[in-house]
Amino acid sequence: MTYARPVTERIVVIGADAAGMSAASQAKRIAGDAVEIVAFERGTYSSYAACGIPYWVAGDIGDPERLIARSPDAHRLNGIDLHMRTEVEEIDLAAGQVTARDLATGRSYREGFDSLVIATGAVPVRPPLPGAEAAGVFGVQTLDDGAALLADLNQVKPQRAVVVGGGYIGVEMAEALVRHGVAVTVVDHAAQPMTTLDPDMGEAVHRAMEGIGIDVRTDTAVTGFETGRDRRIRSVVTADGSIPADVVVLGIGVRPNTALARGVGLPLGDHGGLRTNVQMQVLGHDHVWAGGDCVEVLNLVSGQYQHVALGTHANKQGRVIGHNLAGSYATFPGVVGTAVSKVCHLEIARTGLRERDATRAGFKYVTVTVKSGTKAGYFPGTQQMTVKMTAERLSGRLLGVQIVGYEGSAKRIDTAATALWNHMTVEDMIALDLGYAPPFAPVWDPILVAARRAAADVRRAGPLSVGSHSSGQCHDPEAGFAAVLRAERARRGDKATAATHHPSDGQVEPVRSGKRVRRFGRARPAHRRAGRGDLSADRAGDPCPARRQAGPDAAGSHLRRGGAAGPDVGLARAAAGLGRRDPRAAGGRRRPQRQAARHAACSSCRKTAATRPPRSVWSCTRTRSSTGCARPRRACGIRWFRIACTSSRCRSHGQQPQQVLA
Ligand SMILES: Cc1cc2nc3c(=O)[nH]c(=O)nc-3n(C[C@H](O)[C@H](O)[C@H](O)COP(=O)(O)OP(=O)(O)OC[C@H]3O[C@@H](n4cnc5c(N)ncnc54)[C@H](O)[C@@H]3O)c2cc1C
């Protein structure tokens, strides 16, 4: 979509890699001679793939030129005035000028702009420890870093290497060093490598690294670097002793390179990155744009800003900036946190929230972990993969997926990322039409198996219940509720170990140790029972509008998932003020926990007579286009959305609109 907007005449770009040159190239492609672009790069390469450095060091890519997507000359041929080895030292927003210094000659000069693009990337974290600058200690941020490390490996031929940091760059570099025949130790202060995964999944990475001979020291903090007389690294000092090292690679993360921006008071977020709107315009500054590793991004799952230094985002954000600079319109809405990596043959992938992220963001959730094959079980070469899936407990909305496994595992994360992007529930995911043939997948793809298990756990979890489940885990960080439960147990003098909490009325219904959850008795369908009165009268007091409207004939049918259980007489009784019936007193059969959970809430809107879902269920963020349902966005629970649409009560189908309004 384009709209009339005066085209920027003169654009200055700081930083000539992924974000900066994507922006410059896109603007030039669209606006042509209507824009004049001057770009500054303090390094020796433009538009190069830092992502390829570990594979270049490992020997997979022979010629470093192959990592360069577009040389300075290629950019100049496209009409971009690119100044290499030139550092921008100052920004003057009021005057619309930058001060640049040619690093070869030392000459400083000023350049004017109508619009400024800040794409200065990130700076690697360097520990302020003695010896950190010694010879033989390398970072791997730029192609020059990679070249220096490779030259050292070829000349010095080190026997022992220490990689500090077990993140994805540390892990990839460890593999690269192993392939040079070096004995590698990875040191990380966390409990497991790959802290972008939950620790239980990180453990699989740990084992795989040890499997290829890497010594992994977790929970270990580096306190210094010892050097020899030649001032070359000799060992890495940790709280648990020294680790001999002929070469050290630092991979302890990066932080946004925003010193220039901070100097002129541009807005920075909690993680030190520039804050922009969705068009990548720096907040409060219409003529300043920023993208790539120097900005913070919105995590669309948690709703929180974070710093995610990935080339995939830098390229997209650069393209968005270029479009907007050229008078077109594009947006970068945010990220869901997708990343893939590998260590030797083990593939690692993640998207969405880890457990700790979900807790921090206030979600109540279930997690499942499934092990499956990468191909049909009988097909030669099938390998194991592990999928961990997290879903919001009440709505079943997908929150995150992590995958660790062998060939063919990692890119399955894209299915999960797409589901996350579209706010799908795990129940929705079960029906996804994924490709199947024996050489590629089991008939139930591991992602679908995980979705099935997660959906079952969501159904089982019911409304705000605390307790263990037969598979998966139910996490409820509501510490206060535990106290309520204890008090209730003391009052009743029984041995309840789990309970169902009714937030609307504060009732706690304990579940006896070793017994199944039983909320409502089983009963014959209401319309068949004599002497129970008119249930439509009961439903008049029902807080669920769909049930109110459904009337006696619809009793039960609206309330069940899958139609397996009987009608929810307990609801009707509660609505009529009759209280709950003891199923044993009525001679009712015991119902397994799973069935009872089905009765615990209306499957459509998830309300019961006594229970209102927490706010998260009502924050349905599905777009209309994804379901064709035209109801107001915040008026429904995700599950209801689906059911309403298939039961011809949906407003978009024009039938009984009053039945679907909450
Ligand atoms: C070893 C490694 C492996 C990686 N692997 C992956 C991967 O597998 N997948 C993935 O998505 N991402 C990966 N990344 C991350 C990815 O490379 C970065 O996210 C991406 O390069 C960021 O692009 P950018 O343009 O924002 O910043 P950068 O690429 O850092 O570019 C910023 C440029 O600005 C220049 N600059 C800074 N300040 C100034 C100044 N004052 N004046 C002039 N020039 C300046 C810098 O010299 C630099 O060239 C990896 C990174 C590394 C280091």
Side-chain angles (χ1 to χ4, degrees), residues 547 556-562 598 601-607 638-643:
R547 275 195 303 267
S557 62
H558 168 68
L559 304 171
R560 297 187 302 270
R561 265 186 222 114
R598 278 193 187 132
C602 163
S603 61
S604 296
C605 71
R606 282 201 163 270
K607 285 178 181 174
I638 288 174
R639 198 174 299 285
W640 185 19
F641 224 116
R642 199 168 59 78
I643 290 172

Side-chain angles (χ1 to χ4, degrees), residues 224-244:
F225 300 90
E226 281 175 348
T227 52
R229 273 203 217 129
D230 56 356
R231 300 207 175 159
R232 190 179 165 92
I233 187 76
R234 251 188 28 202
S235 62
V236 174
V237 187
T238 75
D240 299 332
S242 291
I243 307 168

Side-chain angles (χ1 to χ4, degrees), residues 472-488:
Q473 297 162 284
C474 178
H475 304 260
D476 192 342
E478 275 193 329
F481 174 49
V484 175
L485 175 59
R486 274 197 301 278
E488 180 65 16

